[in-house]
């Protein structure tokens, strides 16, 4: 097993003001683990620093791996050891079931504000009546496209995956002929990790092929629509998507798109503020829409993602840690993060806030996509979710890389998942 080390960044941020007078006796140093994808770390830092300054405490910022899968492995290692090194954990929307035993119940502190948050996320974060984590930001898979190139080739954003494939090929070929030999049609997350589960669930759901395991725990993945969806995606590799996509996470895909070398990209909302940022080669050339349907009878499908903040039960400063979590997940802080980083709020009212909508218009335009995003089967599969996802992304990755056929691999996957859950009855 890979061993992960904690990277402690910019360590203790002591504030002069905090060290005088009565505060000295109570000042504590709290460690918070934050994601480091795009602007995540920077915004976590400024938010946590503001809290530290206000309360006279200090912050240790713990940077974590970009891959959600590696991040989970790191957390499991720390938590299994009962480590008190991290007080606040940033956890994925699919982890409450896996990690709930390690976190304290936040319901008492959250009770006056909880109604403001999306009920589905609150429900997701509640395990056996315990509020394991506060919703911080929500995610849904989006289609980014080059507005300028679609206009140049006189095409509209695609409604189906077939249309996307055709447009991507046409523009890729045209742009290569015009001199950009680095141009690709479509970049996405194809590495064997949680991000591929998110992408592949979108393909499958868009062809009405379900969600791997349904809400009752029944294994549904072995179906022809799912096989069609994954086979179609395998056809993109080396035609409209570089072979390297099989090792892309979010940031590799963004790198290609943001440097101007892809027509389409599947990614999460955070990319918006970077693609529109001053350094970006494609500033003002970016459109955002829903991901395509799987054919005329298909549906628009975006996988629900997002991150929460939880307090470790091994923390020596649970009260302060809870205060930090309530601060970071508050409406003011979520608004700042939405404006500066395009992190989608988990507080419904912020979707009507003019400043938020000005900074990230897609939050209003695609509101339905966010509230109707499709959940991965983490509630039904509970502590086994990561194993389920791991088997799914591996099965899909083999098809994408050409070493297996979709129908055969999905049949194998289904038998394995049925064994894992005693026929889908007991996860
Ligand atoms: C994003 C999502 C998260 C998902 C991850 C996969 O960070 O918010 O839910 O698991 O991507 O890469």
């Amino acid at each position: 097993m890979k061993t992960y080390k904690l990277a402690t960044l910019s360590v203790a941020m002591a504030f002069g003001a905090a060290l005088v007078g009565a505060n000295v006796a109570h000042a504590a140093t709290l460690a918070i683990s934050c994601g480091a994808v795009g602007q995540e770390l920077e915004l976590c830092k400024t938010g946590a620093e503001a809290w530290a300054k206000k309360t006279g405490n200090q912050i240790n910022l713990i940077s974590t791996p970009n891959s959600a899968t590696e991040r989970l492995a790191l957390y499991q290692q720390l938590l299994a050891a009962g480590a008190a090194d991290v007080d606040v954990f940033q956890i994925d929307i699919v982890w409450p079931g896996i990690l709930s035993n390690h976190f304290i119940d936040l319901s008492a502190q959250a009770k006056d504000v909880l109604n403001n948050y999306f009920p589905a996320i609150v429900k997701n974060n509640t395990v056996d009546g315990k509020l394991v984590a506060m919703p911080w930001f929500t995610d849904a898979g989006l289609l980014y496209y080059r507005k300028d190139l679609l206009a140049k080739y006189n095409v509209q954003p695609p409604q189906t995956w077939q249309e996307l494939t055709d447009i991507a090929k046409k523009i890729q070929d045209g742009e290569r002929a015009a001199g950009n030999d680095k141009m690709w049609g479509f970049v996405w997350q194809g590495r064997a990790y949680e991000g591929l589960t998110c992408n592949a669930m979108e393909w499958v759901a868009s062809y009405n092929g379900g969600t791997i395991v349904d809400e009752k725990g029944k294994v549904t993945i072995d179906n022809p629509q799912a096989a069609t969806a994954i086979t179609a995606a395998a056809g993109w590799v080396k035609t409209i998507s570089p072979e390297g996509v099989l090792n892309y996470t979010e940031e590799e895909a963004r790198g290609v798109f943001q440097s101007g070398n892809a027509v389409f990209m599947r990614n999460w909302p955070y990319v918006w503020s970077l693609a529109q940022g001053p350094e970006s080669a494609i500033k003002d050339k970016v459109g955002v829409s829903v991901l395509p349907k799987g054919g005329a009878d298909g549906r628009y499908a975006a996988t629900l993602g997002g991150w929460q903040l939880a307090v470790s039960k091994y923390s020596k400063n649970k009260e302060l840690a809870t205060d930090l979590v309530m601060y970071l997940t508050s409406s003011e802080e979520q608004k700042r993060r939405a404006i500066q980083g395009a992190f989608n709020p988990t507080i419904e009212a912020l979707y009507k806030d003019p400043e938020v909508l000005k900074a990230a218009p897609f939050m209003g335009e695609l509101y339905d996509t966010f509230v109707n995003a499709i959940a991965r089967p983490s509630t039904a599969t509970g502590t086994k979710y990561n194993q389920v996802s791991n088997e799914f992304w591996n099965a899909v990755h083999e098809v994408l890389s050409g070493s297996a056929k979709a129908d055969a691999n999905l049949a194998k996957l289904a038998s394995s998942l049925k064994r894992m859950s005693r026929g889908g009855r007991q996860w």
Side-chain angles (χ1 to χ4, degrees), residues 130-420:
K130 167 172 150 186
L131 182 63
V132 170
M134 282 299 287
W136 200 18
F137 62 96
T138 186
D139 261 343
L142 302 172
L143 182 70
Y144 288 85
Y145 60 91
R146 285 284 299 278
K147 268 192 319 204
D148 58 326
L149 291 178
L150 265 60
K152 177 171 165 191
Y153 289 80
N154 201 14
V155 285
Q156 297 298 314
Q159 295 304 306
T160 63
W161 289 111
Q162 188 57 51
E163 276 177 35
L164 178 140
T165 309
D166 297 342
I167 297 171
K169 182 82 174 71
K170 180 173 167 182
I171 301 183
Q172 174 185 298
D173 290 352
E175 291 302 292
R176 285 186 187 182
N180 181 1
D181 59 359
K182 292 210 196 88
M183 187 56 113
W184 284 100
F186 184 35
V187 290
W188 36 282
Q189 294 78 46
R191 182 184 294 188
Y193 82 122
E194 185 62 28
L196 177 55
T197 290
C198 297
N199 281 240
M201 255 199 47
E202 283 158 353
W203 313 329
V204 169
S206 78
Y207 279 85
N208 299 313
T211 57
I212 313 170
V213 171
D214 72 12
E215 283 177 3
K216 298 204 175 89
K218 186 168 171 250
V219 177
T220 59
I221 189 59
D222 184 15
N223 69 74
Q225 294 96 306
T228 303
I230 296 167
T231 305
W236 302 332
V237 180
K238 294 194 265 185
T239 56
I240 57 168
S241 306
E243 192 172 12
V245 82
L246 297 177
N247 204 23
Y248 281 7
T249 68
E250 287 78 5
E251 285 291 84
E252 287 81 18
R254 179 172 73 86
V256 175
F257 186 72
Q258 200 173 307
S259 51
N261 293 326
V263 184
F264 295 110
M265 171 181 64
R266 184 271 177 212
N267 219 320
W268 307 102
Y270 82 94
V271 169
W272 172 254
S273 64
L274 294 161
Q276 286 295 86
E279 308 284 288
S280 169
I282 52 168
K283 185 169 165 35
D284 298 327
K285 295 179 180 164
V286 185
V288 186
S289 84
V290 289
L291 288 161
K293 298 196 277 194
D297 303 331
R299 54 171 292 190
Y300 298 111
T303 297
L304 177 68
W307 293 83
Q308 342 296 317
L309 291 178
V311 174
S312 166
K313 75 172 185 197
Y314 315 110
S315 162
K316 299 202 176 77
N317 289 299
K318 297 190 189 62
E319 254 177 57
L320 277 179
T322 305
D323 194 58
L324 173 59
V325 165
M326 296 312 296
Y327 176 88
L328 290 174
T329 56
S330 69
S331 178
E332 293 71 27
E333 181 59 9
Q334 289 206 21
K335 177 170 172 176
R336 183 185 75 94
R337 293 170 53 87
I339 293 171
Q340 290 183 23
F343 288 103
N344 274 60
T346 55
I347 293 177
E348 216 161 332
L350 288 174
Y351 287 80
K352 299 211 172 74
D353 185 295
E355 288 167 277
V356 168
L357 296 178
K358 182 159 177 277
F362 70 86
M363 288 187 193
E365 289 153 12
L366 301 180
Y367 181 74
D368 289 347
T369 304
F370 292 105
V371 290
N372 296 324
I374 301 173
R376 284 162 276 171
S378 55
T379 301
T381 61
T383 54
K384 298 222 179 80
Y385 172 71
N386 193 48
Q387 257 169 287
V388 171
S389 183
N390 190 307
E391 293 206 10
F392 177 62
W393 79 58
N394 280 332
V396 173
H397 198 267
E398 283 174 11
V399 179
L400 298 176
S401 56
S403 64
K405 289 268 173 276
D407 48 0
N409 253 22
L410 293 183
K412 265 206 298 196
L413 171 67
S415 330
S416 166
L417 297 182
K418 283 180 192 158
R419 265 198 311 279
M420 195 188 284

